[in-house]
Amino acid sequence: MSKRAFFFGLLVAALLVFSLYRAKYGAKDTAAELMAVQAQIEAAEKEKALLETELAHMSRRDYIEEIARNDLGMSPPKPDQMASEEDLDQVVGPPVDDRARRTAPSADGTSRPPEATP
Amino acid sequence: MSEASRDRTRLAGLVLCGIFVVMAGRGGYLALSHGPEAKAVQAARMPETVRAEIHDRDGELLVASVRLSSLWVNPSAVWNPDEVYDGLVGLFPDLERTNLRARLGDQKRQFVWVKRQLTPRQKESVMALGLEGLGFREEWGRAYPMGALAGHVLGQTDVDGNGIAGVERTLNASLAAGKAPVRLTIDVETQTALELELETAAEAFSMEGAAAILMDTRTGEIRGMASWPAFDPNRASDFPSKHPARLNRAIGAVYELGSVFKPLTVAAALDAGAVTRTQMFDVSQPVLAGRFSISDTHRFAKSANVTEIIVESSNIGTVHVVRALGVKRQSAFLDLAGLTRRAKIELPGSEAPIMPARLDDLHSATVSYGHGMSVTPLAFLTAFAALGNDGEMVQPTLIYDPKRKVETERLVSPETAAQVTAMMRESVKRGAGRPADIAGYRVAGKTGTGEKAIAGGYDKNANVSSFAAVFPADSPQFALIVTLDNPQARPGRGATASVSAAPVAGRIVERVAPILGVAPRFEDIRTARTEPESRSPERSSP
């Protein structure tokens, strides 16, 4: 074997050693980075849980109702404030034919044709 | 190649082989072994088991796990134990003082818990003291963000995170496993309405306690379960073990519920064919049972059918009905209705009923109208709700599971259930239940007022007032019971269920019906709006 081959082998070995240690420290750096990200995720999750808990606390219905009653004068709806679709006629009267209303003569005696619909 | 060159080549080959062997060995070691950093990564990736949250049926947060700080002290690092002791006791007056003082003075100790699970504000106060030797350790704790809402249902955990009451206890294993949030059948809106109305009633009637349960008659899902006085698990340490607020009266207290039992008695007799709907009973004279005479609070007719017996809440009529039924069939009915056993529910502390030792003629008569037998509001409602579910009973539940197969047990026929519901609707339209007649929502219910049972007899000055109902009467979906323990009479009015429990139930229905998707019927509202004077004045009858 020539000297050249010998040194080439040594160079390859040295490169391999270097690569191995580089990979090792790279893995270490990645692990540290991973841990930092993991810690950030955990902190964010804790903060999210805390915020959700605070949100639930602020959403207490008795608390909201107190504000609605005292500050806004609101109260739970009474049955006579609700109506189903079929009851609407009795609540607000029969529907008005809008088309007929628009073609009906106005106060000045003129009439306006219905607008074209697409 | 000379011999020397060959030796050099062999040597170089050996060196290279050695290097490769070392490199391979080291590489293999690194690949297979877990260095400290690898372990740290593994630990970081390993999620901590956090006790699962509890939500309501719509996903609203009821119980959360939060990081809390616990305070400890290192006595060996404390120079002036008295100063530390005074500071801590000043901040936390509830600390166990004798032990703390002794431990603080023990210089050999290096760790003593002072107080677990501090709030952020308490932690700030401790830090502001600037005392030596103190430290904080972060722990998971439970927070109940809705405060006292559903406190009795949710229960609580101890400082080590073990469930010791409510669903926290019943579902401890699955909650501790940290799986997906547990969803309950209650909804925040309905639960709030029940609790606010009980709170209002408590102010109006200065009562000892109260309970209200609203249940889906078809699935058995409990949409709300309230007990007054309220219990806030966040402040559990404020309530000693015997404090009245710790008792969940919906499942943990038994009451003689009075006339709310009458519809069940009539249903049993109708279903057995012992009586008919049109059959007339003499209600003009008191009836004798054993050595006691049973009478009505008011005379209303000489004879009455079962509808009038329910509407007028006639004890005499109900005794006639139960005598036609017979003790044996009555006993079998009570057993089938589950009233002779503890009600099953996913909560600890369901109380057993108190039954007469023997169902003789006297006890058969009194039980028929709800006296001489004590049951929990939940046990009663489970049986009563069958009238709103075509006569079939369903097991009540607090755990929301859309895939749950609803198991039913027939109590009475659909025809009987419909007939008795119609009778109860009449009771609300023109009987003692009128204050619960909320226009549009077709409430069918029955009032019940019973003298309060005490050791050795009854307290004539204390009663238990109840109102049980199903709604809407034409197609019942929900069953409700309101029980008030010893409401005090208000000036000019009594404290019977007609003026106490029934109005509370009416207000609850008015609030929760829209939330539950029960649409008001407009014809009823119009009638109520145009004919208010057609209603007769309220009466104080049971």
Side-chain angles (χ1 to χ4, degrees), chain B residues 69-147:
Chain B
S69 299
S70 289
L71 175 64
W72 61 277
V73 62
N74 179 0
S76 66
V78 173
W79 283 83
N80 187 346
D82 288 331
E83 186 193 16
V84 174
Y85 173 81
D86 292 341
L88 292 174
V89 167
L91 205 55
F92 307 114
D94 57 325
L95 286 178
E96 213 291 281
R97 299 178 182 214
T98 317
N99 270 343
L100 180 65
R101 181 64 193 84
R103 287 177 179 179
L104 280 173
D106 185 353
Q107 291 284 314
K108 288 177 191 163
R109 284 178 180 267
Q110 292 191 324
F111 186 93
V112 169
W113 278 123
V114 176
K115 193 167 175 68
R116 307 282 288 273
Q117 302 187 347
L118 305 183
T119 62
R121 192 172 294 173
Q122 285 174 320
K123 185 180 176 183
E124 278 174 25
S125 305
V126 172
M127 291 171 85
L129 288 175
L131 296 172
E132 68 225 8
L134 299 181
F136 295 97
R137 181 179 286 183
E138 283 212 329
E139 292 184 299
W140 284 104
R142 294 295 257 181
Y144 303 84
M146 296 279 181

Coordinates of all heavy atoms in Angstrom, one line a residue, chain B residues 69-147:
Chain B
S69 N -49.2 26.7 44.0 CA -48.0 26.7 44.8 C -48.3 26.2 46.3 O -49.3 26.7 46.9 CB -47.3 28.0 44.9 OG -47.0 28.4 43.6
S70 N -47.5 25.3 46.8 CA -47.6 24.9 48.2 C -46.4 25.4 48.9 O -45.3 25.4 48.5 CB -47.7 23.4 48.3 OG -49.0 23.0 47.8
L71 N -46.7 25.9 50.1 CA -45.7 26.5 50.9 C -45.0 25.6 51.9 O -45.7 24.8 52.6 CB -46.3 27.7 51.7 CG -45.4 28.5 52.7 CD1 -44.3 29.2 52.0 CD2 -46.3 29.5 53.5
W72 N -43.7 25.5 51.9 CA -43.0 24.7 52.9 C -41.9 25.5 53.5 O -41.5 26.6 53.1 CB -42.4 23.5 52.2 CG -41.4 23.8 51.1 CD1 -41.7 24.1 49.8 CD2 -40.0 23.8 51.2 NE1 -40.5 24.3 49.1 CE2 -39.5 24.1 49.9 CE3 -39.1 23.6 52.2 CZ2 -38.1 24.2 49.7 CZ3 -37.7 23.7 52.0 CH2 -37.2 24.0 50.7
V73 N -41.3 25.0 54.6 CA -40.3 25.8 55.3 C -39.2 24.8 55.7 O -39.4 23.6 55.9 CB -40.8 26.5 56.5 CG1 -41.4 25.5 57.5 CG2 -39.8 27.4 57.2
N74 N -37.9 25.3 55.6 CA -36.8 24.5 56.0 C -36.3 25.0 57.4 O -35.6 26.1 57.5 CB -35.6 24.7 55.0 CG -34.4 24.0 55.4 OD1 -34.3 23.3 56.5 ND2 -33.3 24.1 54.6
P75 N -36.7 24.4 58.5 CA -36.4 24.9 59.9 C -35.0 25.0 60.1 O -34.6 25.9 60.9 CB -37.0 23.8 60.8 CG -38.1 23.1 60.0 CD -37.6 23.1 58.6
S76 N -34.1 24.2 59.5 CA -32.7 24.3 59.8 C -32.1 25.6 59.2 O -31.0 26.0 59.6 CB -31.9 23.1 59.2 OG -32.0 23.1 57.8
A77 N -32.9 26.2 58.3 CA -32.4 27.5 57.7 C -33.1 28.7 58.3 O -32.9 29.8 57.9 CB -32.7 27.5 56.2
V78 N -33.9 28.4 59.4 CA -34.6 29.5 60.0 C -33.8 30.0 61.3 O -33.5 29.2 62.2 CB -36.0 29.1 60.4 CG1 -36.7 30.2 61.3 CG2 -36.8 28.8 59.2
W79 N -33.4 31.3 61.3 CA -32.7 31.8 62.4 C -33.6 32.2 63.6 O -33.3 32.1 64.7 CB -31.9 33.1 62.0 CG -30.7 32.7 61.2 CD1 -30.6 32.4 59.9 CD2 -29.4 32.6 61.8 NE1 -29.3 32.1 59.6 CE2 -28.5 32.2 60.7 CE3 -28.8 32.7 63.0 CZ2 -27.2 32.0 60.8 CZ3 -27.4 32.5 63.2 CH2 -26.6 32.1 62.1
N80 N -34.8 32.8 63.2 CA -35.7 33.2 64.2 C -37.1 32.6 64.0 O -37.9 33.1 63.3 CB -35.8 34.8 64.1 CG -36.6 35.4 65.2 OD1 -37.3 34.6 66.0 ND2 -36.5 36.7 65.4
P81 N -37.3 31.4 64.6 CA -38.6 30.7 64.4 C -39.8 31.5 64.8 O -40.8 31.4 64.2 CB -38.4 29.4 65.3 CG -37.0 29.3 65.5 CD -36.4 30.6 65.5
D82 N -39.6 32.3 65.9 CA -40.8 33.1 66.4 C -41.3 34.1 65.3 O -42.5 34.2 65.1 CB -40.5 33.8 67.6 CG -40.3 32.9 68.8 OD1 -41.0 31.8 68.8 OD2 -39.6 33.1 69.7
E83 N -40.3 34.7 64.7 CA -40.7 35.7 63.6 C -41.4 35.0 62.5 O -42.4 35.5 62.0 CB -39.4 36.4 63.1 CG -39.7 37.5 62.2 CD -38.4 38.0 61.4 OE1 -37.4 37.2 61.4 OE2 -38.5 39.0 60.9
V84 N -40.9 33.8 62.0 CA -41.5 33.1 60.9 C -42.9 32.6 61.4 O -43.9 32.8 60.6 CB -40.6 31.9 60.5 CG1 -41.3 31.1 59.5 CG2 -39.3 32.4 60.0
Y85 N -43.0 32.1 62.6 CA -44.3 31.6 63.1 C -45.3 32.7 63.1 O -46.4 32.6 62.6 CB -44.1 31.0 64.5 CG -45.3 30.6 65.2 CD1 -46.0 29.4 64.9 CD2 -45.9 31.5 66.1 CE1 -47.1 29.1 65.5 CE2 -47.1 31.2 66.8 CZ -47.7 29.9 66.5 OH -48.9 29.6 67.1
D86 N -44.9 33.9 63.7 CA -45.9 35.0 63.8 C -46.3 35.5 62.4 O -47.5 35.8 62.2 CB -45.3 36.2 64.5 CG -45.0 35.8 66.0 OD1 -45.7 34.9 66.5 OD2 -44.2 36.5 66.7
G87 N -45.4 35.5 61.5 CA -45.7 36.0 60.1 C -46.7 35.0 59.5 O -47.7 35.5 58.9
L88 N -46.4 33.7 59.6 CA -47.3 32.7 58.9 C -48.7 32.7 59.5 O -49.7 32.6 58.8 CB -46.6 31.4 58.9 CG -45.4 31.2 58.1 CD1 -44.7 29.9 58.3 CD2 -45.7 31.4 56.6
V89 N -48.7 32.7 60.9 CA -50.0 32.6 61.5 C -50.9 33.9 61.3 O -52.1 33.8 61.2 CB -49.8 32.3 63.0 CG1 -51.1 32.6 63.8 CG2 -49.3 30.9 63.3
G90 N -50.2 35.0 61.2 CA -50.9 36.2 60.9 C -51.5 36.2 59.5 O -52.6 36.7 59.3
L91 N -50.9 35.5 58.6 CA -51.4 35.4 57.2 C -52.4 34.3 57.1 O -53.4 34.5 56.3 CB -50.2 35.1 56.3 CG -50.3 35.5 54.8 CD1 -50.6 37.0 54.7 CD2 -49.0 35.2 54.1
F92 N -52.2 33.2 57.8 CA -53.1 32.1 57.7 C -53.6 31.7 59.1 O -53.0 30.8 59.8 CB -52.4 30.8 57.1 CG -51.8 31.1 55.7 CD1 -50.4 31.1 55.6 CD2 -52.6 31.4 54.6 CE1 -49.8 31.3 54.3 CE2 -52.0 31.7 53.4 CZ -50.6 31.7 53.3
P93 N -54.6 32.3 59.6 CA -55.1 32.1 61.0 C -55.5 30.7 61.2 O -55.6 30.2 62.3 CB -56.2 33.1 61.1 CG -56.1 34.1 60.0 CD -55.4 33.4 58.9
D94 N -55.9 29.9 60.1 CA -56.4 28.6 60.3 C -55.3 27.5 60.4 O -55.6 26.3 60.5 CB -57.3 28.2 59.1 CG -56.6 28.3 57.8 OD1 -55.8 29.2 57.6 OD2 -56.9 27.5 56.9
L95 N -54.0 27.9 60.4 CA -53.0 27.0 60.5 C -53.0 26.3 61.9 O -53.4 26.8 62.9 CB -51.6 27.7 60.4 CG -51.2 28.1 59.0 CD1 -49.8 28.8 59.1 CD2 -51.1 26.9 58.1
E96 N -52.6 25.0 61.9 CA -52.5 24.2 63.1 C -51.3 24.7 63.9 O -50.1 24.4 63.6 CB -52.4 22.7 62.7 CG -53.0 21.8 63.7 CD -52.3 21.8 65.1 OE1 -51.3 21.1 65.2 OE2 -52.8 22.4 66.0
R97 N -51.5 25.5 64.9 CA -50.4 26.3 65.5 C -49.4 25.5 66.4 O -48.2 25.8 66.2 CB -51.0 27.5 66.4 CG -51.9 28.4 65.5 CD -52.5 29.5 66.3 NE -53.4 30.3 65.4 CZ -53.6 31.5 65.5 NH1 -53.0 32.2 66.5 NH2 -54.3 32.2 64.7
T98 N -49.9 24.7 67.2 CA -49.0 24.0 68.2 C -48.0 23.2 67.4 O -46.8 23.3 67.7 CB -49.9 23.0 69.1 OG1 -51.0 23.7 69.4 CG2 -49.1 22.6 70.3
N99 N -48.4 22.4 66.5 CA -47.5 21.6 65.7 C -46.5 22.5 64.9 O -45.3 22.2 64.9 CB -48.2 20.7 64.7 CG -48.5 19.4 65.3 OD1 -48.0 19.0 66.3 ND2 -49.5 18.7 64.7
L100 N -47.0 23.5 64.3 CA -46.1 24.4 63.5 C -45.0 25.0 64.3 O -43.9 25.0 63.9 CB -47.0 25.4 62.8 CG -46.2 26.4 61.9 CD1 -45.6 25.6 60.7 CD2 -47.1 27.5 61.4
R101 N -45.4 25.5 65.5 CA -44.4 26.1 66.3 C -43.3 25.1 66.7 O -42.1 25.5 66.7 CB -45.1 26.7 67.6 CG -44.1 27.5 68.5 CD -43.5 28.7 67.8 NE -42.4 29.2 68.5 CZ -41.1 28.8 68.4 NH1 -40.8 27.8 67.6 NH2 -40.1 29.4 69.1
A102 N -43.7 23.9 67.1 CA -42.7 22.9 67.5 C -41.8 22.5 66.3 O -40.6 22.4 66.5 CB -43.5 21.7 68.0
R103 N -42.4 22.4 65.2 CA -41.6 22.0 64.0 C -40.7 23.1 63.5 O -39.6 22.8 63.1 CB -42.6 21.6 62.8 CG -43.3 20.3 63.1 CD -44.2 20.0 62.0 NE -44.9 18.7 62.2 CZ -45.8 18.2 61.4 NH1 -46.2 18.8 60.3 NH2 -46.3 17.0 61.6
L104 N -41.1 24.3 63.6 CA -40.3 25.4 63.2 C -39.0 25.5 64.1 O -37.9 25.9 63.7 CB -41.0 26.7 63.3 CG -41.9 27.0 62.1 CD1 -42.7 28.3 62.4 CD2 -41.1 27.2 60.8
G105 N -39.2 25.1 65.4 CA -38.1 25.1 66.3 C -37.2 23.9 66.2 O -36.1 23.9 66.8
D106 N -37.5 22.9 65.4 CA -36.7 21.7 65.3 C -35.6 21.9 64.2 O -35.9 21.7 63.1 CB -37.6 20.5 65.0 CG -36.9 19.2 65.0 OD1 -35.6 19.3 65.1 OD2 -37.5 18.2 64.9
Q107 N -34.4 22.3 64.7 CA -33.4 22.6 63.7 C -32.9 21.4 62.9 O -32.1 21.6 62.0 CB -32.2 23.2 64.5 CG -32.5 24.6 65.1 CD -32.5 25.7 64.0 OE1 -31.6 25.8 63.2 NE2 -33.5 26.6 64.0
K108 N -33.3 20.2 63.4 CA -32.8 19.0 62.6 C -33.6 18.8 61.3 O -33.2 18.1 60.4 CB -32.9 17.8 63.5 CG -31.9 17.7 64.6 CD -32.1 16.5 65.5 CE -31.3 16.6 66.7 NZ -31.7 15.7 67.7
R109 N -34.9 19.3 61.4 CA -35.7 19.2 60.2 C -35.3 20.0 59.0 O -34.8 21.1 59.2 CB -37.2 19.5 60.5 CG -37.9 18.5 61.4 CD -39.3 19.0 61.7 NE -40.0 18.1 62.5 CZ -40.9 17.2 62.0 NH1 -41.0 17.1 60.7 NH2 -41.5 16.3 62.7
Q110 N -35.5 19.5 57.8 CA -35.2 20.3 56.7 C -36.4 20.6 55.8 O -36.3 21.3 54.8 CB -34.1 19.6 55.8 CG -32.8 19.6 56.6 CD -31.7 19.1 55.7 OE1 -31.9 18.3 54.8 NE2 -30.5 19.7 55.9
F111 N -37.5 20.0 56.1 CA -38.7 20.2 55.3 C -40.0 20.0 56.2 O -40.2 19.0 56.8 CB -38.8 19.1 54.2 CG -39.9 19.4 53.2 CD1 -39.7 20.1 52.1 CD2 -41.1 18.8 53.4 CE1 -40.8 20.3 51.2 CE2 -42.2 19.0 52.6 CZ -42.0 19.8 51.4
V112 N -40.8 21.1 56.2 CA -42.1 21.0 56.8 C -43.1 21.7 56.0 O -42.9 22.8 55.5 CB -42.0 21.7 58.2 CG1 -43.4 21.9 58.8 CG2 -41.1 21.0 59.2
W113 N -44.2 21.0 55.6 CA -45.3 21.7 54.9 C -45.9 22.7 55.8 O -46.2 22.5 57.0 CB -46.4 20.7 54.5 CG -46.1 19.8 53.3 CD1 -46.1 18.5 53.2 CD2 -45.9 20.3 52.0 NE1 -45.9 18.1 51.9 CE2 -45.8 19.2 51.1 CE3 -45.8 21.6 51.4 CZ2 -45.5 19.3 49.8 CZ3 -45.6 21.7 50.0 CH2 -45.4 20.5 49.2
V114 N -46.2 23.9 55.2 CA -46.9 24.9 56.0 C -48.4 25.0 55.5 O -49.3 24.9 56.3 CB -46.3 26.3 55.8 CG1 -47.1 27.4 56.5 CG2 -44.8 26.2 56.3
K115 N -48.6 25.1 54.2 CA -49.9 25.2 53.6 C -49.9 24.8 52.2 O -49.1 25.3 51.4 CB -50.5 26.6 53.8 CG -52.0 26.7 53.5 CD -52.5 28.0 54.0 CE -54.0 28.2 53.6 NZ -54.9 27.3 54.4
R116 N -50.8 23.9 51.9 CA -50.9 23.4 50.5 C -51.8 24.2 49.6 O -52.8 24.8 50.1 CB -51.4 21.9 50.5 CG -50.6 21.0 51.4 CD -49.3 20.6 50.8 NE -49.4 19.6 49.7 CZ -49.5 18.3 49.9 NH1 -49.5 17.8 51.1 NH2 -49.6 17.5 48.8
Q117 N -51.4 24.3 48.4 CA -52.3 24.8 47.3 C -52.8 26.3 47.6 O -54.0 26.5 47.8 CB -53.5 23.9 47.1 CG -53.0 22.5 46.7 CD -54.1 21.6 46.2 OE1 -55.3 21.8 46.4 NE2 -53.7 20.5 45.6
L118 N -51.8 27.1 47.6 CA -52.1 28.5 47.8 C -52.6 29.2 46.5 O -52.3 28.8 45.4 CB -50.9 29.3 48.2 CG -50.1 28.8 49.4 CD1 -48.9 29.8 49.7 CD2 -50.9 28.8 50.6
T119 N -53.5 30.2 46.7 CA -53.9 30.9 45.5 C -52.7 31.9 45.1 O -51.9 32.2 46.0 CB -55.1 31.8 45.8 OG1 -54.8 32.7 46.8 CG2 -56.3 30.9 46.3
P120 N -52.7 32.4 43.9 CA -51.6 33.3 43.5 C -51.5 34.5 44.5 O -50.4 35.0 44.8 CB -52.0 33.8 42.1 CG -52.8 32.6 41.6 CD -53.5 32.1 42.7
R121 N -52.7 35.0 45.0 CA -52.7 36.1 45.9 C -52.0 35.8 47.2 O -51.3 36.5 47.8 CB -54.1 36.6 46.1 CG -54.2 38.0 46.8 CD -55.5 38.5 46.8 NE -56.0 38.9 45.4 CZ -57.2 39.3 45.1 NH1 -58.1 39.4 46.1 NH2 -57.5 39.6 43.9
Q122 N -52.3 34.6 47.7 CA -51.8 34.1 49.0 C -50.2 34.0 48.8 O -49.5 34.3 49.7 CB -52.4 32.8 49.4 CG -53.8 32.9 49.9 CD -54.4 31.6 50.2 OE1 -54.3 30.6 49.4 NE2 -55.2 31.5 51.3
K123 N -49.8 33.5 47.6 CA -48.4 33.3 47.4 C -47.7 34.7 47.5 O -46.6 34.8 48.1 CB -48.2 32.6 46.1 CG -46.7 32.3 45.8 CD -46.5 31.7 44.4 CE -45.0 31.5 44.2 NZ -44.8 30.9 42.8
E124 N -48.3 35.7 46.8 CA -47.7 37.0 46.8 C -47.6 37.5 48.2 O -46.6 38.2 48.6 CB -48.6 38.0 46.0 CG -48.3 37.9 44.5 CD -49.3 38.7 43.7 OE1 -49.9 39.7 44.3 OE2 -49.5 38.4 42.5
S125 N -48.7 37.3 49.0 CA -48.6 37.8 50.4 C -47.5 37.1 51.2 O -46.8 37.8 52.0 CB -50.0 37.5 51.1 OG -51.0 38.0 50.4
V126 N -47.3 35.8 51.0 CA -46.2 35.2 51.7 C -44.9 35.8 51.2 O -44.0 36.0 52.1 CB -46.2 33.6 51.4 CG1 -45.0 33.0 51.9 CG2 -47.5 33.0 51.9
M127 N -44.7 36.0 49.9 CA -43.4 36.5 49.5 C -43.2 37.9 50.0 O -42.1 38.3 50.3 CB -43.4 36.5 47.9 CG -43.4 35.1 47.3 SD -43.6 35.1 45.6 CE -42.0 35.4 45.0
A128 N -44.3 38.7 50.2 CA -44.2 40.0 50.7 C -43.7 40.0 52.2 O -43.1 41.0 52.6 CB -45.5 40.7 50.6
L129 N -43.9 38.9 52.9 CA -43.4 38.8 54.3 C -41.9 38.9 54.3 O -41.3 39.3 55.3 CB -43.9 37.5 54.9 CG -45.4 37.5 55.3 CD1 -45.7 36.1 55.8 CD2 -45.8 38.5 56.3
G130 N -41.2 38.3 53.3 CA -39.8 38.3 53.2 C -39.1 37.5 54.3 O -38.1 37.9 54.9
L131 N -39.8 36.4 54.7 CA -39.2 35.6 55.8 C -38.2 34.6 55.3 O -38.2 34.2 54.1 CB -40.4 34.8 56.5 CG -41.4 35.7 57.2 CD1 -42.6 34.8 57.6 CD2 -40.8 36.4 58.3
E132 N -37.3 34.1 56.2 CA -36.2 33.2 55.8 C -36.7 31.8 55.8 O -37.7 31.4 56.5 CB -35.0 33.4 56.7 CG -35.3 32.9 58.1 CD -34.9 33.8 59.2 OE1 -34.4 34.9 58.9 OE2 -34.9 33.4 60.4
G133 N -36.1 30.9 55.0 CA -36.3 29.5 55.1 C -37.6 29.0 54.4 O -37.9 27.8 54.5
L134 N -38.3 29.9 53.7 CA -39.6 29.5 53.1 C -39.3 29.1 51.6 O -38.4 29.6 51.0 CB -40.6 30.6 53.2 CG -41.0 31.1 54.5 CD1 -42.1 32.2 54.4 CD2 -41.6 30.0 55.4
G135 N -40.1 28.2 51.2 CA -40.0 27.8 49.8 C -41.4 27.4 49.2 O -42.3 27.1 50.0
F136 N -41.5 27.3 47.9 CA -42.7 26.9 47.3 C -42.5 25.7 46.4 O -41.5 25.6 45.8 CB -43.3 28.1 46.4 CG -43.7 29.3 47.2 CD1 -42.8 30.4 47.3 CD2 -44.9 29.3 47.8 CE1 -43.2 31.5 48.1 CE2 -45.3 30.5 48.6 CZ -44.4 31.5 48.7
R137 N -43.4 24.8 46.4 CA -43.4 23.7 45.5 C -44.7 23.7 44.7 O -45.7 23.8 45.2 CB -43.3 22.4 46.3 CG -43.2 21.2 45.4 CD -43.1 19.9 46.2 NE -41.8 19.7 46.8 CZ -41.4 18.7 47.5 NH1 -42.3 17.7 47.7 NH2 -40.2 18.6 48.0
E138 N -44.5 23.6 43.4 CA -45.7 23.6 42.5 C -46.3 22.3 42.5 O -45.7 21.2 42.4 CB -45.2 24.0 41.1 CG -45.0 25.5 40.9 CD -45.3 26.0 39.5 OE1 -45.2 25.2 38.6 OE2 -45.7 27.1 39.4
E139 N -47.7 22.3 42.6 CA -48.5 21.1 42.6 C -49.7 21.3 41.7 O -50.1 22.4 41.6 CB -49.0 20.7 44.0 CG -47.9 20.4 45.0 CD -48.5 20.0 46.3 OE1 -49.2 20.8 46.9 OE2 -48.3 18.8 46.7
W140 N -50.3 20.2 41.3 CA -51.5 20.4 40.6 C -52.7 20.4 41.6 O -52.7 19.6 42.5 CB -51.8 19.2 39.6 CG -51.0 19.2 38.4 CD1 -49.8 18.5 38.1 CD2 -51.2 20.1 37.3 NE1 -49.3 18.8 36.9 CE2 -50.1 19.8 36.3 CE3 -52.1 21.0 37.0 CZ2 -50.0 20.4 35.1 CZ3 -52.0 21.7 35.7 CH2 -51.0 21.4 34.8
G141 N -53.6 21.3 41.4 CA -54.7 21.4 42.2 C -56.0 21.5 41.4 O -55.9 21.7 40.2
R142 N -57.1 21.4 42.0 CA -58.4 21.5 41.3 C -59.0 22.9 41.5 O -59.0 23.4 42.6 CB -59.4 20.5 41.8 CG -58.9 19.1 41.5 CD -58.9 18.8 40.0 NE -60.0 18.0 39.6 CZ -60.2 17.7 38.3 NH1 -59.3 18.0 37.4 NH2 -61.2 16.9 38.0
A143 N -59.5 23.5 40.4 CA -60.2 24.7 40.5 C -61.6 24.6 39.9 O -61.8 23.8 39.0 CB -59.5 25.8 39.7
Y144 N -62.6 25.2 40.6 CA -64.0 25.1 40.2 C -64.4 26.5 39.8 O -64.9 27.3 40.6 CB -64.8 24.6 41.4 CG -64.3 23.2 41.9 CD1 -63.3 23.2 42.8 CD2 -64.8 22.1 41.4 CE1 -62.8 21.9 43.2 CE2 -64.4 20.8 41.8 CZ -63.3 20.8 42.7 OH -62.8 19.6 43.2
P145 N -64.2 26.8 38.5 CA -64.3 28.2 38.1 C -65.7 28.8 38.2 O -65.9 30.0 38.3 CB -63.8 28.2 36.6 CG -63.9 26.8 36.2 CD -63.7 26.0 37.4
M146 N -66.7 27.9 38.2 CA -68.1 28.4 38.4 C -68.5 28.6 39.8 O -69.6 28.8 40.1 CB -69.1 27.4 37.7 CG -68.8 27.3 36.2 SD -69.6 28.6 35.3 CE -69.2 28.1 33.6
G147 N -67.5 28.5 40.7 CA -67.8 28.7 42.1 C -68.7 27.6 42.7 O -68.4 26.4 42.5

